[in-house]
Amino acid sequence: MRPTIGLTPLYDEEKQSFWMLPGYLEILEQCGAAPMILPLTANTEVLEACFALCDGLLLTGGQDVAPSFYGAEMQETCGAVCPSRDAMEAELLRRALAMNCPVLGVCRGLQFLNAALGGTLYQDLPTERRSTVEHHMAPPYDRAVHKVTVVADTLLSEILQKKELGVNSYHHQGISKLAPALREMAHAADGLIEAAYLPEKRFVAGVQWHPEFAFRKDPDSVKLAQAFVNACAENRQKKYCSRY
């Protein structure tokens, strides 16, 4: 049976609606998972019931992480935030880490993972960390705009079996101080961390680029998603076996 992967929803403040980019769902389905969009709520009873159905957790992109979440003052260059989503993802991540449940963060997801584990963020790269690397590309988003160097002997190098890859890039924030428990998996030419993971867990990782936009043309995006889905399938099997 397919592993069930819970996805955190995106929130449109203007329309007051929840939504999801179809690419997230499509890449997970292609890799053999059953994706499930979670409700945007910080109600612990609701999250407990939903998380019980999940074999993995995908932290999607979206609004900026609230600076207060990592102990900083909000600057004018910071974008829109969604505190209710920060609270929801904090609770879900807490449960996932406690149960050794696989987690994959994409863009904001990587940034949130870092902030939740004690790291900090650049609130606006163009004003805080000038670079010639294109971190905020124009569409189409299914193409590589810069390269990243993959750190040897990490989860990402194990999955991709390569030292460098081209990635798309659509973000204005990024990791400033890496959380103590995380280990860097990849960085851009300007030194900005582009991927990190938690070595002590089965599969807890985040990437700054967007596999959900690139997977139709990029085999590396599929390999990453497939490794995540495989970890979720293993988690499902262990959960199933423990019941009998």
Side-chain angles (χ1 to χ4, degrees):
M1 184 176 292
R2 289 173 174 250
T4 299
I5 298 177
L7 292 86
T8 51
L10 286 74
Y11 178 65
D12 188 318
E13 184 175 10
E14 183 178 341
K15 296 181 179 179
Q16 295 187 335
S17 63
F18 306 149
W19 64 289
M20 180 60 59
L21 287 165
Y24 286 117
L25 307 176
E26 292 169 9
I27 190 173
L28 292 177
E29 288 183 15
Q30 178 178 312
C31 291
M36 178 177 68
I37 304 172
L38 299 172
L40 181 55
T41 178
N43 185 309
T44 55
E45 291 184 358
V46 173
L47 292 178
E48 180 180 11
C50 291
F51 189 73
L53 303 174
C54 298
D55 305 303
L57 175 65
L58 196 153
L59 303 175
T60 61
Q63 286 98 340
D64 292 349
V65 179
S68 59
F69 188 74
Y70 49 92
E73 293 186 8
M74 188 171 185
Q75 306 298 319
E76 292 183 357
T77 51
C78 185
V81 298
C82 185
S84 59
R85 181 174 173 185
D86 292 341
M88 171 188 175
E89 292 188 338
E91 176 63 18
L92 289 172
L93 182 60
R94 183 189 68 79
R95 292 177 181 275
L97 295 179
M99 299 177 66
N100 200 16
C101 178
V103 177
L104 177 62
V106 173
C107 194
R108 171 200 151 91
L110 168 65
Q111 297 162 13
F112 183 84
L113 180 64
N114 183 62
L117 295 177
T120 62
L121 304 176
Y122 292 111
Q123 294 187 36
D124 183 61
L125 289 173
T127 56
E128 296 180 47
R129 198 179 192 278
R130 295 183 182 278
S131 173
T132 57
V133 176
E134 178 56 83
H135 289 296
H136 196 272
M137 68 188 294
Y141 302 120
D142 60 351
R143 57 191 175 89
V145 291
H146 71 78
K147 293 182 178 181
V148 300
T149 298
V150 179
V151 178
D153 300 319
T154 61
L155 178 62
L156 189 63
S157 67
E158 178 183 333
I159 293 170
L160 301 183
Q161 295 292 305
K162 57 173 49 178
K163 299 179 179 179
E164 186 179 76
L165 69 149
V167 298
N168 55 14
S169 192
Y170 188 71
H171 61 105
H172 84 108
Q173 295 199 319
I175 292 177
S176 176
K177 176 186 175 183
L178 186 65
L182 290 176
R183 183 184 175 194
E184 177 187 330
M185 292 197 298
H187 58 264
D190 59 4
L192 187 70
I193 295 175
E194 291 274 336
Y197 77 118
L198 200 54
E200 66 186 56
K201 296 298 183 180
R202 176 191 295 138
F203 192 115
V204 176
V207 298
Q208 191 61 71
W209 57 91
H210 291 268
E212 78 279 8
F213 286 134
F215 74 96
R216 294 179 185 84
K217 296 182 178 180
D218 177 34
D220 290 330
S221 293
V222 178
K223 289 179 181 178
L224 175 61
Q226 189 66 66
F228 172 54
V229 171
N230 290 348
C232 295
E234 292 175 8
N235 186 40
R236 180 181 181 85
Q237 183 65 24
K238 289 182 179 180
K239 286 166 58 178
Y240 178 81
C241 291
S242 67
R243 297 172 184 169
Y244 299 94

